[in-house]
Amino acid sequence: PAEQLSGGTREQLFLAIRLAMVKAFAKHGVELPMVLDDVTVNFDVERSQAAVDTLMEFVKDGQQVLVFTSHIHFAEMFQKRGIEPIWLPARDRVTGLPEDRLAG
């Protein structure tokens, strides 16, 4: 059972299931974008790199994948493979305004 797996291993399993489901839908003519939010947050560095490689292969087949993360090291893994991240402006934790818009 999935409950007996470690958190990172369980999340790897769920990512694999999502990838398989998107491919299965595509075989039936249903094309869906894949949206992932901090999908590797509980992965170690080696598994995160393997996930990036797997997603890069997935994209080569024409799959649209949007990856959101708050972890710079994960975004940099894509950047090292030629995918330029879109960096959202930093926000001040108190005001919620972008840092470049703060006075002083």
Side-chain angles (χ1 to χ4, degrees):
E3 299 83 32
Q4 293 180 352
L5 301 172
S6 69
T9 302
R10 187 172 43 247
E11 289 179 22
Q12 285 177 292
L13 172 65
F14 294 151
L15 176 59
I17 291 169
R18 282 182 261 178
L19 294 170
M21 289 180 65
V22 168
K23 280 198 175 217
F25 279 118
K27 286 181 182 177
H28 290 68
V30 179
E31 295 183 18
L32 301 169
M34 183 168 241
V35 181
L36 303 171
D37 184 14
D38 272 332
V39 69
T40 64
V41 71
N42 292 316
F43 291 13
D44 59 26
V45 173
E46 184 178 322
R47 289 179 177 154
S48 292
Q49 290 173 344
V52 170
D53 290 339
T54 299
L55 292 171
M56 295 289 290
E57 286 298 316
F58 210 60
V59 168
K60 283 182 184 176
D61 293 337
Q63 178 62 46
Q64 182 183 30
V65 178
L66 302 171
V67 178
F68 295 89
T69 187
S70 60
H71 300 276
I72 292 174
H73 73 279
F74 187 56
E76 288 173 342
M77 289 180 189
F78 283 98
Q79 194 171 30
K80 289 177 183 173
R81 290 163 175 83
I83 303 299
E84 187 59 37
I86 296 172
W87 304 98
L88 299 179
R91 301 225 174 250
D92 180 85
R93 293 181 189 263
V94 176
T95 67
L97 296 172
E99 289 176 2
D100 60 347
R101 293 194 167 197
L102 296 178

